[in-house]
Amino acid sequence: MEVSRFWRTTKQRYQLIGEVCGHCGTKIFPPRDVCPSCDLEAKTPFEFGGKGEVFSYSTIHQAPAGFEKYVPYTVALVKLEEGPLITAQLTDVDECDVKIGMPVEMVTRALREDGERGMLIYSYKFRPVMESKSI
Amino acid sequence: MRDVSIIGVGQIPVAEHWDKSIREMGYLALSAAMRNAKVTVLDALYVGNMLSGELARQEHLGALIADFSGLRGVEAVKIEAACASGGAAMRMGYMAVASGLCNFVAVMGVEKMTDQQGPDITAGLAMAADGDYEALHGLSFVSINALLMRRYMHEYGYTKGDFANFAINAHANGVGNPNAMFRAPITFKAFSEAKSVADPINLLDSSPIADGAACAILAPTAIASEFSDKPIRVRASSIATDTVSLHDRREPLWLEAAALSASRAYDMAGVRASDISFFELHDAFTIMSALSLEAAGFAARGHGVRMAQDGSIGRTGKLPITTMGGLKARGHPVGATGMYQIAEVALQLREEAGPNQIANASLGMAQNIGGSGATVVTTILERIK
Ligand SMILES: [Zn+2]
């Protein structure tokens, strides 16, 4: 992955920063500058809470180049609490336990190692919501 | 605007053509189409292709194939719209002839995939998706379709086996097509036991990677009969787009661009879905067949799969689909696929489909889908009697 491309999308990948439309209030992720609901310009940053539920999922057995050594891994569409769907990997869960509707939360994990540069690419992934322990 | 017809088609078998380069494959399809149309000169050549830069290490296909085919000097460019590149080339050629700027236009789809290894092809195909927000996260193109299939099964209450007849029907039709990659039938048992690619999609839900090239020659309908005994009239041609990524769609299970593209085509032709005799749809995966049938108005939402179950899609059913094997059995050389569909619809309408000939085929439709539904090309063709 190109260093500039990596740098360009850091905010989105580390903090789930999208946008909120100043005209109609729609929460937008990934950021896209023009609101998909009202087609007006939307450039106000908005940090998503990172909570949502599994909308659909798939376990990959034949991976694209760069991901071969992680097979099998599970990817999902996650419906964020604030509205938008996001595409991401699931982590800390056995594929057999994944269900549509399962509550998940965002964590930051290594996505893959870039072969040529040895650079680790970090990003959001989602894991099942842990029960909070009472003290 | 002028009326446009197809005066010739040509194709090479879909296969692993290790002995042929992309320019040779393009030339073979183009020269076959030009012979079929009895033309020796062209005003333009539009080459649909998705991945030549990535997988064949060659761009600039317009000039390359024009020169290699002895057409140096002709207007020639490559057209790219992911898996819909072939259909998009058809649309560009249609506009060129309809506008009056060109009289004889070759529209081609060509793809060379098998020079590369599996993971590189998988990464190449993922370029049809969103690079920053889908492919970066390790999603293969298959897995994006798998997300759709899983959600479809969940929302409408289907099991995986309910999709089997899409693949079984395609393979049954591949048997009679000399240009098909797979010419053997498959059973429900084989479908159920096939190896998983990206759960719930297995190998027999998926169309195969392949090399191929197909071509058609377009001309004004007013002079078409001077070149062809059986000219095929282009009744409609349309392209519509949607978000590239699945997560940005209003409703992921509704292919908005397919619905838009089909309705524009129906309006242009002045017909309804029920007037279509047969439908070459984009069965890259079984789920795409179901979604395409629904978006094009042949089935209600959530009912696309039932058309496979009740026999509607067979060659004698009420809406035959993938009559020459479809992407599943004919093969899916991605950027070439849209032009294979056009050539196949033309052959059916010319009553030259051999053992796969459909009775009383008068109006045929092809729908070529790019990505998970971001670009959709619909073409309606009719035999001039
Ligand atoms: Zn807005």
Side-chain angles (χ1 to χ4, degrees):
Chain A
M1 188 187 185
E2 305 75 14
V3 172
S4 53
R5 188 177 190 180
F6 177 81
W7 170 81
R8 211 160 52 224
T9 50
T10 300
K11 266 190 185 168
Q12 291 92 281
R13 276 183 294 109
Y14 287 9
Q15 287 167 275
L16 228 54
I17 306 263
E19 288 155 342
V20 57
C21 175
H23 306 278
C24 74
T26 299
K27 311 288 196 316
I28 304 163
F29 192 91
R32 49 177 24 250
D33 293 355
V34 176
C35 173
S37 299
C38 69
D39 296 332
L40 294 171
E41 198 174 67
K43 286 197 158 182
T44 313
F46 177 84
E47 185 169 352
F48 284 81
K51 295 250 192 309
E53 61 174 53
V54 173
F55 181 84
S56 192
Y57 62 97
S58 170
T59 298
I60 295 182
H61 299 279
Q62 284 182 18
F67 289 90
E68 301 101 314
K69 67 178 175 182
Y70 307 107
V71 163
Y73 55 93
T74 301
V75 299
L77 279 171
V78 171
K79 178 97 175 142
L80 295 172
E81 277 181 353
E82 296 89 345
L85 284 171
I86 181 171
T87 303
Q89 287 191 22
L90 297 182
T91 186
D92 303 350
V93 64
D94 189 291
E95 61 167 290
C96 309
D97 297 332
V98 181
K99 298 271 180 298
I100 288 178
M102 185 173 84
V104 290
E105 62 190 4
M106 177 212 162
V107 289
T108 302
R109 292 290 157 81
L111 255 187
R112 68 179 176 99
E113 196 177 335
D114 191 311
E116 284 161 35
R117 298 164 198 270
M119 180 171 71
L120 271 176
I121 299 171
Y122 284 89
S123 179
Y124 48 78
K125 292 189 183 181
F126 285 79
R127 71 176 179 197
V129 173
M130 305 289 168
E131 296 297 321
S132 55
K133 287 177 190 138
S134 51
I135 302 168
Chain B
M1 217 174 63
R2 299 191 297 181
D3 208 82
V4 179
S5 287
I6 293 173
I7 57 169
V9 293
Q11 57 183 312
I12 64 170
V14 177
E16 296 186 3
H17 288 292
W18 290 328
D19 60 332
K20 290 183 186 66
S21 67
I22 195 162
R23 72 186 80 178
E24 288 175 287
M25 297 193 314
Y27 162 68
L28 289 170
L30 175 61
S31 56
M34 288 178 72
R35 274 197 306 279
N36 191 242
K38 303 187 195 85
V39 296
T40 52
V41 291
L42 294 175
D43 296 313
L45 164 67
Y46 297 114
V47 180
N49 171 270
M50 173 184 175
L51 288 167
S52 71
E54 191 68 14
L55 300 184
R57 305 280 182 251
Q58 177 71 60
E59 284 291 7
H60 216 163
L61 292 187
L64 185 85
I65 292 171
D67 171 42
F68 193 74
S69 306
L71 296 167
R72 202 178 301 177
V74 76
E75 168 181 335
V77 289
K78 164 171 161 170
I79 307 292
E80 192 274 327
C83 332
S85 301
M90 172 73 191
R91 167 74 177 162
M92 297 305 126
Y94 172 80
M95 291 196 294
V97 177
S99 72
L101 284 173
C102 297
N103 281 328
F104 299 98
V105 174
V107 285
M108 173 193 293
V110 63
E111 201 77 67
K112 177 85 198 163
M113 305 180 76
T114 66
D115 280 358
Q116 303 298 325
Q117 300 298 309
D120 292 319
I121 300 172
T122 304
L125 290 170
M127 290 181 181
D130 183 323
D132 283 345
Y133 295 101
E134 291 181 318
L136 178 76
H137 294 270
L139 276 86
S140 59
F141 187 57
V142 183
S143 71
I144 290 169
N145 285 272
L147 292 172
L148 282 174
M149 187 170 178
R150 170 101 61 198
R151 185 72 200 182
Y152 188 95
M153 289 161 61
H154 173 81
E155 277 194 25
Y156 301 124
Y158 290 106
T159 62
K160 188 170 155 49
D162 295 333
F163 292 79
N165 276 347
F166 284 122
I168 292 168
N169 174 63
H171 274 264
N173 291 340
V175 173
N177 178 4
N179 292 306
M181 184 162 183
F182 296 136
R183 305 197 58 196
I186 59 164
T187 61
F188 182 82
K189 185 167 183 289
F191 177 85
S192 311
E193 293 170 358
K195 199 173 149 213
S196 176
V197 183
D199 198 43
I201 289 182
N202 70 31
L203 271 177
L204 290 181
D205 287 295
S206 316
S207 52
I209 283 156
D211 304 329
C215 186
I217 310 295
L218 307 179
T221 299
I223 57 168
S225 59
E226 294 169 31
F227 296 87
S228 173
D229 301 335
K230 302 174 196 168
I232 302 299
R233 193 174 160 213
V234 184
R235 288 284 304 271
S237 161
S238 75
I239 297 185
T241 57
D242 196 355
T243 70
V244 165
S245 59
L246 213 49
H247 53 243
D248 284 330
R249 303 261 166 92
R250 287 189 187 92
E251 294 176 69
L253 292 183
W254 179 244
L255 297 182
E256 209 168 296
L260 203 54
S261 165
S263 77
R264 284 177 192 166
Y266 296 145
D267 285 350
M268 190 171 179
V271 302
R272 291 179 299 182
S274 55
D275 296 320
I276 303 296
S277 333
F278 65 103
F279 183 26
E280 292 303 330
L281 53 66
H282 192 92
D283 59 326
F285 304 94
T286 51
I287 179 65
M288 271 294 140
S289 300
L291 296 179
S292 183
L293 285 168
E294 293 170 21
F298 297 108
R301 289 192 198 199
H303 289 215
V305 171
R306 295 190 194 177
M307 290 185 70
Q309 294 171 306
D310 69 16
S312 303
I313 62 170
R315 290 206 300 271
T316 55
K318 73 170 192 221
L319 183 75
I321 66 168
T322 59
T323 67
M324 301 302 278
L327 282 61
K328 176 71 201 78
R330 174 239 298 129
H332 183 28
V334 285
T337 288
M339 283 312 304
Y340 275 98
Q341 293 177 316
I342 297 294
E344 290 163 356
V345 173
L347 289 177
Q348 283 286 5
L349 294 171
R350 280 164 30 167
E351 297 182 339
E352 293 172 5
N356 288 14
Q357 185 61 49
I358 290 169
N360 306 317
S362 57
L363 209 55
M365 184 160 99
Q367 192 170 68
N368 188 199
I369 300 181
S372 55
T375 302
V376 183
V377 189
T378 306
T379 310
I380 299 176
L381 302 177
E382 181 185 37
R383 167 90 183 268
I384 301 173
K385 301 263 177 177

